[in-house]
Amino acid sequence: MLIQIISLFPEMFPPVLETSMLFKAKDKGIVEYSYINLRDFGLGKRKTVDDTPYGGGDGMLLKPEPLVAAIEAAKAYDGNESQKAKSKKQKVVLMTPRGERFNQAKAKELAQLDNLILVCARYEGYDERVTAFIDEQISIGDYVLTGGELPAMIVTDAVVRLLPGVLGGAKSTEIESFSDGKTLEFPQYTRPEDFRGMKVPDVLLKGHHAEIEKWRNKNSRAVEQN
Ligand code: 4GS
């Protein structure tokens, strides 16, 4: 999968996407990350990307020309050797609190794509006409951030871990064992048995599998999974 990220702050991404599982996915050739600096598409000598809103109001908006030029550049790039994304399943997703709420089902859906283009807004927002060049608008929650970069990282994380070959064998079979679409998220413990006076629940120490399952069910929250 080719994941392209359009942002005014592309330097925010490598520290997160080049770490741990997200890096391993890239190292294995399962995913390619490509960062597009919106500033490169700014207008004039000053590479302007923002302007004041018609009708007045606080703050600045992203202008449509640079944003749409960046989206078109992203669409024209067809990935490195391992990712021949061109003319395959491609989607342009804009991160915005006005979008549809992100969840595991959406992550699953996006994980089917060959090419995901994530657009990160900044300032007070963007010129509404860019939405004509966007396939979907997604929000990670009902709060206002300073930019769409953290939301884009969250979407990337949730999507990449679903790509075949990213999670190790043990982990993926663990998920498959609750194959009703939900996973039971229950409290877990590891050594030591006594940590600062807090004991691991007895039932978990005894190896009685039926009792353990009962305890886990009782203390579970069902979370949509894979
Ligand atoms: C979100 C969010 C967000 C909104 C971007 C204000 C800069 C900011 N994006 N889910 N302008 N919540 N974006 O807060 O996706």
Side-chain angles (χ1 to χ4, degrees):
M1 179 183 224
L2 170 62
I3 300 182
Q4 291 164 285
I5 296 167
I6 298 171
S7 165
L8 275 174
F9 300 96
E11 69 275 16
M12 288 177 71
F13 291 90
V16 172
L17 303 191
E18 312 280 329
T19 299
S20 186
M21 301 304 288
L22 299 185
F23 169 75
K24 277 186 197 148
K26 170 187 148 163
D27 202 42
K28 288 183 181 173
I30 296 168
V31 69
E32 175 188 351
Y33 307 118
S34 165
Y35 312 114
I36 296 170
N37 193 339
L38 181 57
R39 184 68 60 189
D40 294 343
F41 300 87
L43 304 182
K45 227 175 74 183
R46 307 206 35 210
K47 296 283 178 193
T48 303
V49 296
D50 60 334
D51 208 339
T52 54
Y54 280 117
D58 281 341
M60 304 292 274
L61 301 179
L62 290 172
K63 295 172 71 61
E65 307 96 310
L67 213 36
V68 169
I71 291 168
E72 285 169 346
K75 286 183 162 182
Y77 175 63
D78 57 357
N80 64 23
E81 289 311 296
S82 63
Q83 316 292 330
K84 293 173 259 86
K86 210 172 186 176
S87 81
K88 294 219 198 129
K89 282 175 282 173
Q90 179 182 67
K91 228 167 213 183
V92 182
V93 171
L94 173 66
M95 304 311 305
T96 164
R98 286 167 56 200
E100 187 188 332
R101 178 75 60 86
F102 187 60
N103 58 21
Q104 189 65 24
K106 179 58 70 179
K108 253 163 84 176
E109 195 187 305
L110 296 178
Q112 305 306 311
L113 297 172
D114 301 301
N115 181 200
L116 175 60
I117 300 169
L118 295 170
V119 182
C120 308
R122 277 270 156 181
Y123 312 122
E124 266 46 67
Y126 45 85
D127 185 302
E128 189 64 21
R129 292 168 291 186
V130 306
T131 59
F133 299 82
I134 298 284
D135 298 309
E136 279 189 39
Q137 301 181 35
I138 294 180
S139 166
I140 62 158
D142 291 340
Y143 34 78
V144 181
L145 302 168
T146 58
E149 285 79 9
L150 292 168
M153 288 182 211
I154 284 169
V155 168
T156 299
D157 187 295
V159 167
V160 169
R161 72 178 280 287
L162 294 176
L163 299 177
V166 173
L167 292 192
K171 190 79 182 162
S172 41
T173 48
E174 178 191 316
I175 286 161
E176 271 157 22
S177 66
F178 308 104
S179 51
D180 58 346
K182 303 263 184 190
T183 177
L184 296 180
E185 295 285 333
F186 43 77
Q188 300 196 83
Y189 300 84
T190 183
R191 272 174 286 273
E193 267 184 50
D194 183 321
F195 173 65
R196 301 193 180 191
M198 295 178 282
K199 307 273 195 331
V200 175
D202 247 0
V203 58
L204 301 179
L205 303 174
K206 290 187 174 140
H208 189 310
H209 291 295
E211 287 302 311
I212 290 172
E213 208 184 313
K214 222 163 80 189
W215 184 89
R216 285 181 170 169
N217 280 317
K218 206 177 82 200
N219 293 282
S220 275
R221 195 184 144 178
V223 176
E224 193 179 354
Q225 177 68 262
N226 294 339

